[in-house]
Amino acid sequence: MAAKWPASSGSGEPLALVTADEEARLVVVELTTGRIRRYVKTLPKPRSIETVGSTAVVAHSELGAVSIIRSRTLSVAHVLRRLGEPRYTAAHPDGRHAYVTDAERGEVVVLDVEDGRVVGRARVGAKARHLTIDPAGKTLWISLGAKARQIAVVDLQRRRQPRLVGLVTPPFLAHDVAWTPDGRRVWVSSGDRNSLALYNAKTRRLLARPDADRPPQHITFRGGRAYVTSGESATLRVHRADGKILRTTAVADDSYNVQQAHGWVVTPALGRGTLCILDGSGRLLHRHQVARSSHDACIVVA
C-alpha cells in the first residue's frame, strides 16, 4: 500500500488489525508473538484497512460502506454507508481526517473520523484506487485503476475541499503509490511489469526506474527504507531511498498489501489468510494463518 504514518502515540501495545474478508471480522494479532488475541465483528467483506490517528478505517468495497474502529477499545465507533465503491484510505497527519477513494464514482471522499461523517468529496477520475499523502498533508497522488494509465494529483490546502490539480502519466500501467517520509519523492509501482518509478514530488519528474519482482507491487516506507511486496513472487524487498535493493525476504504467496508502524512491518495474504510479521530490517519474525482470506492489515496502539 501507500506510505503509512504511525498510529497515535501512547503507552499501549502495538497490535495488527487484519481483515478477515470472508468472515466479517477483523483479527487482532500480537506482533511480538504472532498469536491471535481476539476478533472484532464488522460488516461483511472488510477489505482495506488504514490507521488514522486513534482509529482504523475499514472499507467494505462491495457494500459501499466504511467502518471506523476505535483503536483503544477495538470496537466499531461509526459505520458510514451510501458510498459507491470505497477502496483505500490515506490518513491526514492531523489524525482526524481521512481520504477514501471511491472507484465507482471516481471520487476521493473526506472523512472526519472523530465525528464519523463525510465532510467533503471531489471528482478525481474513474476507478480511483491506491493513494498516498505527503507528510505535510498538502497533496494526494491517486492511482486511477489497478493498471492505471494516469495518476491524479490532488491539492489539500483546504483539507475538507480536495481539488484535482494535475495528472501524471507513468512509464507503465501504475498500481500503488507511496510518498517518502521526507516528502521529496513519490514511488509508483507497476500493475503490468517488473518495475518501479521514482518521481521528484515537487516537479513530478521521473528520476529512476528500479527493478521489481512480479506485478502488482505494493509499497510502504519507514525512514529511509522502502518495503515493496510482490504477491505473485511471494517476496518483500527492502530498498534504500534511491531504489537500491538491500534485502529480499520470502513471504507467503499472495502477500500483496503491506503496512508498517512502530518498527513492525506486516503483509497479509489474499486468498490464504496468512499474516507475515517482519522487523524494520525486513527479517521475517512470524508467519501464521489468521483467517481464510485477508486483503489488508494495519498497526494500531491499543
Side-chain angles (χ1 to χ4, degrees):
M1 290 292 289
K4 310 301 179 187
W5 314 116
S8 59
S9 61
S11 58
E13 176 189 1
L15 300 167
L17 296 186
V18 188
T19 60
D21 309 354
E22 299 177 5
E23 298 159 80
R25 64 188 183 185
L26 306 178
V27 185
V28 182
V29 178
E30 295 179 355
L31 293 166
T32 54
T33 66
R35 292 197 298 262
I36 295 173
R37 176 172 291 187
R38 55 171 290 192
Y39 301 99
V40 179
K41 184 175 176 59
T42 68
L43 294 177
K45 301 184 183 300
R47 298 285 284 173
S48 70
I49 186 168
E50 174 75 11
T51 304
V52 182
S54 60
T55 71
V57 175
V58 181
H60 308 267
S61 302
E62 292 89 340
L63 304 183
V66 168
S67 297
I68 300 175
I69 311 298
R70 293 194 193 280
S71 301
R72 301 296 185 186
T73 59
L74 297 175
S75 61
V76 178
H78 305 284
V79 175
L80 309 179
R81 301 178 186 270
R82 300 191 183 91
L83 283 77
E85 185 187 344
R87 295 301 308 220
Y88 292 95
T89 301
H92 193 278
D94 68 5
R96 178 164 189 157
H97 292 90
Y99 300 90
V100 180
T101 50
D102 189 326
E104 180 181 286
R105 297 174 182 172
E107 294 181 336
V108 61
V109 179
V110 189
L111 306 184
D112 181 323
V113 299
E114 292 185 11
D115 290 346
R117 61 192 181 97
V118 174
V119 295
R121 54 181 10 113
R123 286 280 303 174
V124 296
K127 300 180 182 179
R129 194 177 173 99
H130 285 291
L131 73 168
T132 185
I133 190 169
D134 80 291
K138 299 296 179 63
T139 308
L140 294 170
W141 281 36
I142 303 173
S143 181
L144 301 178
K147 295 182 178 181
R149 296 187 181 278
Q150 290 186 309
I151 297 165
V153 181
V154 178
D155 178 81
L156 299 177
Q157 293 294 327
R158 297 182 178 181
R159 64 191 65 176
R160 295 189 176 195
Q161 298 177 31
R163 182 172 61 94
L164 178 66
V165 294
L167 295 168
V168 173
T169 301
F172 43 60
L173 299 182
H175 189 77
D176 197 11
V177 287
W179 217 296
T180 60
D182 63 9
R184 297 172 59 188
R185 296 182 178 184
V186 180
W187 285 39
V188 179
S189 77
S190 176
D192 69 341
R193 64 191 68 182
N194 299 41
S195 183
L196 302 167
L198 280 55
Y199 282 87
N200 180 298
K202 184 176 182 179
T203 65
R204 305 177 199 167
R205 181 172 66 89
L206 181 63
L207 300 174
R209 289 278 307 274
D211 291 336
D213 283 331
R214 294 171 61 189
Q217 311 93 14
H218 293 79
I219 311 163
T220 191
F221 281 95
R222 178 175 182 263
R225 291 183 175 181
Y227 305 90
V228 182
T229 50
S230 166
E232 297 297 316
S233 297
T235 58
L236 179 144
R237 287 187 174 191
V238 184
H239 295 254
R240 285 192 330 207
D242 62 1
K244 179 180 173 59
I245 297 173
L246 300 175
R247 181 174 192 154
T248 300
T249 301
V251 293
D253 288 342
D254 296 344
S255 295
Y256 292 101
N257 287 313
V258 59
Q259 299 207 36
Q260 74 78 31
H262 305 289
W264 303 92
V265 180
V266 293
T267 177
L270 180 65
R272 296 177 182 271
T274 304
L275 180 69
C276 289
I277 302 172
L278 304 96
D279 65 15
S281 70
R283 180 170 60 99
L284 182 64
L285 302 176
H286 303 289
R287 173 174 169 164
H288 293 295
Q289 188 83 23
V290 299
R292 292 199 295 270
S293 174
S294 178
H295 184 87
D296 205 359
C298 74
I299 296 170
V300 300
V301 174

